[in-house]
mmCIF file of all heavy atoms in Angstrom:
data_model
loop_
_atom_site.group_PDB
_atom_site.id
_atom_site.type_symbol
_atom_site.label_atom_id
_atom_site.label_comp_id
_atom_site.label_asym_id
_atom_site.label_seq_id
_atom_site.Cartn_x
_atom_site.Cartn_y
_atom_site.Cartn_z
ATOM 1 N N ASP A 1 125.637 18.245 82.279
ATOM 2 C CA ASP A 1 125.750 19.597 82.809
ATOM 3 C C ASP A 1 127.095 20.206 82.445
ATOM 4 O O ASP A 1 127.191 21.392 82.141
ATOM 5 C CB ASP A 1 125.588 19.589 84.333
ATOM 6 C CG ASP A 1 124.192 19.165 84.741
ATOM 7 O OD1 ASP A 1 123.285 19.327 83.899
ATOM 8 O OD2 ASP A 1 124.011 18.671 85.867
ATOM 9 N N LYS A 2 128.133 19.404 82.507
ATOM 10 C CA LYS A 2 129.462 19.915 82.172
ATOM 11 C C LYS A 2 129.513 20.326 80.714
ATOM 12 O O LYS A 2 130.116 21.327 80.362
ATOM 13 C CB LYS A 2 130.518 18.845 82.452
ATOM 14 C CG LYS A 2 130.733 18.579 83.932
ATOM 15 C CD LYS A 2 131.798 17.524 84.134
ATOM 16 C CE LYS A 2 132.012 17.249 85.612
ATOM 17 N NZ LYS A 2 133.034 16.204 85.826
ATOM 18 N N MET A 3 128.863 19.557 79.873
ATOM 19 C CA MET A 3 128.864 19.888 78.456
ATOM 20 C C MET A 3 128.132 21.183 78.200
ATOM 21 O O MET A 3 128.527 21.987 77.351
ATOM 22 C CB MET A 3 128.219 18.754 77.654
ATOM 23 C CG MET A 3 129.052 17.481 77.626
ATOM 24 S SD MET A 3 128.217 16.132 76.796
ATOM 25 C CE MET A 3 128.074 16.790 75.146
ATOM 26 N N GLU A 4 127.049 21.441 78.961
ATOM 27 C CA GLU A 4 126.306 22.674 78.774
ATOM 28 C C GLU A 4 127.092 23.890 79.246
ATOM 29 O O GLU A 4 127.046 24.942 78.640
ATOM 30 C CB GLU A 4 124.977 22.596 79.533
ATOM 31 C CG GLU A 4 124.011 21.595 78.919
ATOM 32 C CD GLU A 4 122.726 21.495 79.702
ATOM 33 O OE1 GLU A 4 122.624 22.214 80.712
ATOM 34 O OE2 GLU A 4 121.850 20.729 79.315
ATOM 35 N N THR A 5 127.778 23.764 80.372
ATOM 36 C CA THR A 5 128.530 24.893 80.889
ATOM 37 C C THR A 5 129.713 25.236 80.005
ATOM 38 O O THR A 5 130.030 26.406 79.787
ATOM 39 C CB THR A 5 129.042 24.595 82.309
ATOM 40 O OG1 THR A 5 129.766 23.345 82.295
ATOM 41 C CG2 THR A 5 127.868 24.478 83.274
ATOM 42 N N GLU A 6 130.382 24.191 79.482
ATOM 43 C CA GLU A 6 131.523 24.447 78.617
ATOM 44 C C GLU A 6 131.072 24.946 77.250
ATOM 45 O O GLU A 6 131.698 25.802 76.647
ATOM 46 C CB GLU A 6 132.341 23.167 78.456
ATOM 47 C CG GLU A 6 133.032 22.756 79.747
ATOM 48 C CD GLU A 6 133.765 21.443 79.583
ATOM 49 O OE1 GLU A 6 133.728 20.893 78.459
ATOM 50 O OE2 GLU A 6 134.367 20.980 80.562
ATOM 51 N N GLU A 7 129.949 24.415 76.777
ATOM 52 C CA GLU A 7 129.323 24.812 75.520
ATOM 53 C C GLU A 7 130.321 24.869 74.370
ATOM 54 O O GLU A 7 130.543 25.903 73.743
ATOM 55 C CB GLU A 7 128.625 26.169 75.670
ATOM 56 C CG GLU A 7 127.692 26.464 74.528
ATOM 57 C CD GLU A 7 126.582 27.412 74.914
ATOM 58 O OE1 GLU A 7 126.408 27.678 76.089
ATOM 59 O OE2 GLU A 7 125.897 27.863 74.009
ATOM 60 N N GLU A 8 130.960 23.781 74.116
ATOM 61 C CA GLU A 8 131.795 23.602 72.947
ATOM 62 C C GLU A 8 133.008 24.523 72.935
ATOM 63 O O GLU A 8 133.599 24.774 71.890
ATOM 64 C CB GLU A 8 130.969 23.829 71.668
ATOM 65 C CG GLU A 8 129.799 22.875 71.549
ATOM 66 C CD GLU A 8 128.931 23.184 70.329
ATOM 67 O OE1 GLU A 8 129.208 24.182 69.640
ATOM 68 O OE2 GLU A 8 128.001 22.443 70.088
ATOM 69 N N ASP A 9 133.389 25.110 74.051
ATOM 70 C CA ASP A 9 134.551 25.988 74.082
ATOM 71 C C ASP A 9 135.830 25.241 73.746
ATOM 72 O O ASP A 9 136.786 25.825 73.247
ATOM 73 C CB ASP A 9 134.690 26.650 75.466
ATOM 74 C CG ASP A 9 133.968 27.988 75.509
ATOM 75 O OD1 ASP A 9 133.376 28.345 74.468
ATOM 76 O OD2 ASP A 9 133.982 28.651 76.559
ATOM 77 N N ASP A 10 135.857 23.924 74.026
ATOM 78 C CA ASP A 10 137.044 23.136 73.736
ATOM 79 C C ASP A 10 137.298 23.035 72.236
ATOM 80 O O ASP A 10 138.433 22.879 71.792
ATOM 81 C CB ASP A 10 136.910 21.730 74.327
ATOM 82 C CG ASP A 10 136.883 21.768 75.847
ATOM 83 O OD1 ASP A 10 137.368 22.763 76.412
ATOM 84 O OD2 ASP A 10 136.374 20.809 76.456
ATOM 85 N N GLU A 11 136.213 23.134 71.442
ATOM 86 C CA GLU A 11 136.352 22.998 69.999
ATOM 87 C C GLU A 11 136.688 24.325 69.327
ATOM 88 O O GLU A 11 137.016 24.360 68.155
ATOM 89 C CB GLU A 11 135.056 22.423 69.406
ATOM 90 C CG GLU A 11 134.694 21.045 69.967
ATOM 91 C CD GLU A 11 133.390 20.526 69.393
ATOM 92 O OE1 GLU A 11 132.818 21.226 68.538
ATOM 93 O OE2 GLU A 11 132.961 19.432 69.794
ATOM 94 N N ILE A 12 136.578 25.444 70.046
ATOM 95 C CA ILE A 12 136.842 26.755 69.469
ATOM 96 C C ILE A 12 138.329 27.065 69.572
ATOM 97 O O ILE A 12 138.900 26.994 70.660
ATOM 98 C CB ILE A 12 136.014 27.841 70.191
ATOM 99 C CG1 ILE A 12 134.525 27.551 69.991
ATOM 100 C CG2 ILE A 12 136.367 29.228 69.659
ATOM 101 C CD1 ILE A 12 133.629 28.439 70.792
ATOM 102 N N PRO A 13 138.976 27.427 68.469
ATOM 103 C CA PRO A 13 140.413 27.733 68.520
ATOM 104 C C PRO A 13 140.707 28.890 69.464
ATOM 105 O O PRO A 13 139.888 29.782 69.669
ATOM 106 C CB PRO A 13 140.738 28.105 67.064
ATOM 107 C CG PRO A 13 139.652 27.473 66.243
ATOM 108 C CD PRO A 13 138.431 27.495 67.111
ATOM 109 N N SER A 14 141.898 28.891 70.035
ATOM 110 C CA SER A 14 142.280 29.914 71.005
ATOM 111 C C SER A 14 142.448 31.282 70.364
ATOM 112 O O SER A 14 142.537 32.290 71.066
ATOM 113 C CB SER A 14 143.587 29.506 71.692
ATOM 114 O OG SER A 14 144.620 29.318 70.738
ATOM 115 N N GLU A 15 142.496 31.352 69.029
ATOM 116 C CA GLU A 15 142.664 32.645 68.358
ATOM 117 C C GLU A 15 141.392 33.479 68.393
ATOM 118 O O GLU A 15 141.413 34.650 68.003
ATOM 119 C CB GLU A 15 143.102 32.428 66.908
ATOM 120 C CG GLU A 15 142.117 31.606 66.086
ATOM 121 C CD GLU A 15 142.664 31.259 64.708
ATOM 122 O OE1 GLU A 15 142.567 32.113 63.807
ATOM 123 O OE2 GLU A 15 143.214 30.157 64.558
ATOM 124 N N PHE A 16 140.288 32.896 68.863
ATOM 125 C CA PHE A 16 139.027 33.616 68.979
ATOM 126 C C PHE A 16 138.646 33.786 70.446
ATOM 127 O O PHE A 16 139.145 33.077 71.317
ATOM 128 C CB PHE A 16 137.911 32.894 68.219
ATOM 129 C CG PHE A 16 138.235 32.680 66.760
ATOM 130 C CD1 PHE A 16 138.397 31.408 66.254
ATOM 131 C CD2 PHE A 16 138.397 33.766 65.910
ATOM 132 C CE1 PHE A 16 138.715 31.206 64.923
ATOM 133 C CE2 PHE A 16 138.711 33.578 64.567
ATOM 134 C CZ PHE A 16 138.875 32.294 64.078
ATOM 135 N N ILE A 17 137.759 34.708 70.691
ATOM 136 C CA ILE A 17 137.354 35.012 72.062
ATOM 137 C C ILE A 17 136.608 33.826 72.668
ATOM 138 O O ILE A 17 135.907 33.092 71.967
ATOM 139 C CB ILE A 17 136.482 36.290 72.101
ATOM 140 C CG1 ILE A 17 136.327 36.792 73.541
ATOM 141 C CG2 ILE A 17 135.127 36.038 71.463
ATOM 142 C CD1 ILE A 17 135.682 38.161 73.620
ATOM 143 N N SER A 18 136.763 33.643 73.961
ATOM 144 C CA SER A 18 136.070 32.554 74.660
ATOM 145 C C SER A 18 134.704 33.040 75.146
ATOM 146 O O SER A 18 134.444 34.247 75.240
ATOM 147 C CB SER A 18 136.898 32.065 75.844
ATOM 148 O OG SER A 18 137.018 33.087 76.819
ATOM 149 N N ARG A 19 133.856 32.082 75.464
ATOM 150 C CA ARG A 19 132.514 32.430 75.945
ATOM 151 C C ARG A 19 132.578 33.137 77.298
ATOM 152 O O ARG A 19 131.779 34.028 77.587
ATOM 153 C CB ARG A 19 131.670 31.150 76.054
ATOM 154 C CG ARG A 19 130.214 31.407 76.417
ATOM 155 C CD ARG A 19 129.406 30.144 76.195
ATOM 156 N NE ARG A 19 128.017 30.352 76.547
ATOM 157 C CZ ARG A 19 127.488 29.995 77.689
ATOM 158 N NH1 ARG A 19 128.236 29.412 78.610
ATOM 159 N NH2 ARG A 19 126.213 30.208 77.940
ATOM 160 N N LYS A 20 133.556 32.745 78.124
ATOM 161 C CA LYS A 20 133.710 33.378 79.440
ATOM 162 C C LYS A 20 134.069 34.849 79.308
ATOM 163 O O LYS A 20 133.555 35.698 80.039
ATOM 164 C CB LYS A 20 134.772 32.639 80.249
ATOM 165 C CG LYS A 20 134.364 31.251 80.686
ATOM 166 C CD LYS A 20 135.450 30.593 81.516
ATOM 167 C CE LYS A 20 135.027 29.199 81.969
ATOM 168 N NZ LYS A 20 136.103 28.544 82.766
ATOM 169 N N ASP A 21 134.956 35.168 78.369
ATOM 170 C CA ASP A 21 135.340 36.568 78.162
ATOM 171 C C ASP A 21 134.185 37.380 77.602
ATOM 172 O O ASP A 21 134.043 38.565 77.908
ATOM 173 C CB ASP A 21 136.544 36.644 77.218
ATOM 174 C CG ASP A 21 137.817 36.139 77.878
ATOM 175 O OD1 ASP A 21 137.886 36.156 79.125
ATOM 176 O OD2 ASP A 21 138.743 35.706 77.150
ATOM 177 N N LEU A 22 133.369 36.745 76.769
ATOM 178 C CA LEU A 22 132.183 37.437 76.252
ATOM 179 C C LEU A 22 131.231 37.810 77.387
ATOM 180 O O LEU A 22 130.735 38.933 77.464
ATOM 181 C CB LEU A 22 131.459 36.562 75.226
ATOM 182 C CG LEU A 22 131.898 36.663 73.754
ATOM 183 C CD1 LEU A 22 131.139 35.661 72.912
ATOM 184 C CD2 LEU A 22 131.689 38.070 73.227
ATOM 185 N N GLU A 23 130.977 36.850 78.254
ATOM 186 C CA GLU A 23 130.066 37.094 79.371
ATOM 187 C C GLU A 23 130.646 38.115 80.352
ATOM 188 O O GLU A 23 129.913 38.924 80.931
ATOM 189 C CB GLU A 23 129.778 35.777 80.095
ATOM 190 C CG GLU A 23 128.977 34.788 79.265
ATOM 191 C CD GLU A 23 128.757 33.477 79.997
ATOM 192 O OE1 GLU A 23 129.402 33.281 81.063
ATOM 193 O OE2 GLU A 23 127.967 32.649 79.524
ATOM 194 N N LYS A 24 131.954 38.060 80.538
ATOM 195 C CA LYS A 24 132.602 38.945 81.504
ATOM 196 C C LYS A 24 132.492 40.406 81.103
ATOM 197 O O LYS A 24 132.281 41.288 81.948
ATOM 198 C CB LYS A 24 134.075 38.543 81.646
ATOM 199 C CG LYS A 24 134.852 39.358 82.658
ATOM 200 C CD LYS A 24 136.285 38.876 82.738
ATOM 201 C CE LYS A 24 137.085 39.714 83.728
ATOM 202 N NZ LYS A 24 138.506 39.243 83.803
ATOM 203 N N ASN A 25 132.620 40.696 79.803
ATOM 204 C CA ASN A 25 132.618 42.084 79.328
ATOM 205 C C ASN A 25 131.313 42.479 78.651
ATOM 206 O O ASN A 25 131.274 43.455 77.905
ATOM 207 C CB ASN A 25 133.779 42.294 78.342
ATOM 208 C CG ASN A 25 135.130 42.115 79.000
ATOM 209 O OD1 ASN A 25 135.340 42.542 80.133
ATOM 210 N ND2 ASN A 25 136.060 41.475 78.311
ATOM 211 N N ARG A 26 130.247 41.719 78.916
ATOM 212 C CA ARG A 26 128.954 42.040 78.312
ATOM 213 C C ARG A 26 128.044 42.704 79.339
ATOM 214 O O ARG A 26 128.033 42.324 80.515
ATOM 215 C CB ARG A 26 128.305 40.755 77.783
ATOM 216 C CG ARG A 26 127.032 41.005 76.973
ATOM 217 C CD ARG A 26 126.508 39.694 76.421
ATOM 218 N NE ARG A 26 126.127 38.788 77.501
ATOM 219 C CZ ARG A 26 126.125 37.463 77.401
ATOM 220 N NH1 ARG A 26 126.522 36.880 76.279
ATOM 221 N NH2 ARG A 26 125.745 36.714 78.401
ATOM 222 N N LEU A 27 127.323 43.705 78.891
ATOM 223 C CA LEU A 27 126.409 44.406 79.784
ATOM 224 C C LEU A 27 125.201 43.534 80.101
ATOM 225 O O LEU A 27 124.757 42.740 79.262
ATOM 226 C CB LEU A 27 125.922 45.720 79.144
ATOM 227 C CG LEU A 27 126.977 46.784 78.815
ATOM 228 C CD1 LEU A 27 126.305 47.981 78.146
ATOM 229 C CD2 LEU A 27 127.715 47.241 80.065
ATOM 230 N N SER A 28 124.668 43.706 81.298
ATOM 231 C CA SER A 28 123.431 43.018 81.661
ATOM 232 C C SER A 28 122.247 43.802 81.091
ATOM 233 O O SER A 28 122.400 44.918 80.587
ATOM 234 C CB SER A 28 123.315 42.929 83.183
ATOM 235 O OG SER A 28 123.251 44.218 83.758
ATOM 236 N N ARG A 29 121.068 43.212 81.162
ATOM 237 C CA ARG A 29 119.874 43.893 80.643
ATOM 238 C C ARG A 29 119.609 45.193 81.383
ATOM 239 O O ARG A 29 119.213 46.205 80.783
ATOM 240 C CB ARG A 29 118.664 42.975 80.760
ATOM 241 C CG ARG A 29 118.716 41.771 79.831
ATOM 242 C CD ARG A 29 117.442 40.966 79.924
ATOM 243 N NE ARG A 29 117.465 39.806 79.030
ATOM 244 C CZ ARG A 29 116.475 38.936 78.915
ATOM 245 N NH1 ARG A 29 115.373 39.105 79.656
ATOM 246 N NH2 ARG A 29 116.577 37.927 78.072
ATOM 247 N N GLU A 30 119.832 45.184 82.680
ATOM 248 C CA GLU A 30 119.627 46.399 83.470
ATOM 249 C C GLU A 30 120.609 47.489 83.057
ATOM 250 O O GLU A 30 120.245 48.675 82.981
ATOM 251 C CB GLU A 30 119.787 46.093 84.967
ATOM 252 C CG GLU A 30 118.704 45.213 85.567
ATOM 253 C CD GLU A 30 118.852 43.748 85.184
ATOM 254 O OE1 GLU A 30 119.941 43.391 84.643
ATOM 255 O OE2 GLU A 30 117.918 42.962 85.403
ATOM 256 N N GLU A 31 121.847 47.104 82.781
ATOM 257 C CA GLU A 31 122.851 48.079 82.352
ATOM 258 C C GLU A 31 122.570 48.605 80.948
ATOM 259 O O GLU A 31 122.839 49.774 80.647
ATOM 260 C CB GLU A 31 124.247 47.447 82.409
ATOM 261 C CG GLU A 31 124.724 47.152 83.831
ATOM 262 C CD GLU A 31 126.025 46.372 83.857
ATOM 263 O OE1 GLU A 31 126.265 45.567 82.924
ATOM 264 O OE2 GLU A 31 126.802 46.563 84.807
ATOM 265 N N MET A 32 122.033 47.750 80.091
ATOM 266 C CA MET A 32 121.710 48.183 78.723
ATOM 267 C C MET A 32 120.646 49.280 78.717
ATOM 268 O O MET A 32 120.673 50.177 77.860
ATOM 269 C CB MET A 32 121.221 46.996 77.890
ATOM 270 C CG MET A 32 122.299 46.010 77.513
ATOM 271 S SD MET A 32 121.651 44.662 76.484
ATOM 272 C CE MET A 32 123.077 43.579 76.393
ATOM 273 N N GLU A 33 119.728 49.208 79.664
ATOM 274 C CA GLU A 33 118.651 50.192 79.720
ATOM 275 C C GLU A 33 119.168 51.603 80.000
ATOM 276 O O GLU A 33 118.491 52.584 79.719
ATOM 277 C CB GLU A 33 117.633 49.792 80.786
ATOM 278 C CG GLU A 33 116.877 48.507 80.449
ATOM 279 C CD GLU A 33 115.947 48.080 81.569
ATOM 280 O OE1 GLU A 33 115.962 48.751 82.628
ATOM 281 O OE2 GLU A 33 115.208 47.091 81.401
ATOM 282 N N LYS A 34 120.364 51.717 80.545
ATOM 283 C CA LYS A 34 120.941 53.027 80.854
ATOM 284 C C LYS A 34 121.559 53.696 79.623
ATOM 285 O O LYS A 34 121.873 54.888 79.667
ATOM 286 C CB LYS A 34 122.003 52.876 81.945
ATOM 287 C CG LYS A 34 121.471 52.310 83.254
ATOM 288 C CD LYS A 34 122.590 52.126 84.269
ATOM 289 C CE LYS A 34 122.069 51.513 85.561
ATOM 290 N NZ LYS A 34 123.155 51.290 86.547
ATOM 291 N N TYR A 35 121.743 52.929 78.539
ATOM 292 C CA TYR A 35 122.341 53.478 77.321
ATOM 293 C C TYR A 35 121.247 53.794 76.301
ATOM 294 O O TYR A 35 120.352 52.995 76.057
ATOM 295 C CB TYR A 35 123.336 52.482 76.719
ATOM 296 C CG TYR A 35 124.612 52.321 77.509
ATOM 297 C CD1 TYR A 35 124.674 51.453 78.601
ATOM 298 C CD2 TYR A 35 125.765 53.023 77.157
ATOM 299 C CE1 TYR A 35 125.851 51.295 79.325
ATOM 300 C CE2 TYR A 35 126.943 52.873 77.878
ATOM 301 C CZ TYR A 35 126.980 52.005 78.957
ATOM 302 O OH TYR A 35 128.139 51.855 79.671
ATOM 303 N N SER A 36 121.374 54.951 75.690
ATOM 304 C CA SER A 36 120.369 55.384 74.709
ATOM 305 C C SER A 36 120.404 54.529 73.443
ATOM 306 O O SER A 36 119.390 54.400 72.747
ATOM 307 C CB SER A 36 120.600 56.853 74.338
ATOM 308 O OG SER A 36 121.909 57.034 73.810
ATOM 309 N N VAL A 37 121.563 53.931 73.134
ATOM 310 C CA VAL A 37 121.665 53.129 71.904
ATOM 311 C C VAL A 37 120.821 51.853 71.977
ATOM 312 O O VAL A 37 120.499 51.265 70.939
ATOM 313 C CB VAL A 37 123.147 52.755 71.622
ATOM 314 C CG1 VAL A 37 123.933 53.969 71.200
ATOM 315 C CG2 VAL A 37 123.770 52.068 72.828
ATOM 316 N N PHE A 38 120.473 51.444 73.176
ATOM 317 C CA PHE A 38 119.640 50.245 73.329
ATOM 318 C C PHE A 38 118.155 50.594 73.515
ATOM 319 O O PHE A 38 117.336 49.702 73.736
ATOM 320 C CB PHE A 38 120.122 49.412 74.515
ATOM 321 C CG PHE A 38 121.453 48.762 74.295
ATOM 322 C CD1 PHE A 38 122.592 49.288 74.859
ATOM 323 C CD2 PHE A 38 121.574 47.625 73.502
ATOM 324 C CE1 PHE A 38 123.829 48.694 74.662
ATOM 325 C CE2 PHE A 38 122.803 47.035 73.291
ATOM 326 C CZ PHE A 38 123.944 47.571 73.875
#
């Protein structure tokens, strides 16, 4: 379970965005429906 939650973030260099930051600033499906581009 720990390996799934971390999802290889330890192997990704710090110069790139982390998975947590991606999830934090990503719109949910409900929010996407409010934008015409989606």
Side-chain angles (χ1 to χ4, degrees):
D1 294 336
K2 290 181 180 179
M3 291 175 63
E4 291 178 0
T5 53
E6 292 177 1
E7 194 154 349
E8 300 176 356
D9 268 1
D10 294 338
E11 300 178 2
I12 298 173
S14 58
E15 59 187 278
F16 303 115
I17 193 170
S18 65
R19 186 167 179 261
K20 291 182 179 179
D21 289 337
L22 272 176
E23 293 178 350
K24 182 179 179 180
N25 296 320
R26 187 177 63 207
L27 298 178
S28 62
R29 291 184 180 180
E30 292 75 12
E31 292 173 329
M32 288 182 187
E33 294 176 356
K34 300 177 182 178
Y35 289 84
S36 58
V37 290
F38 291 102

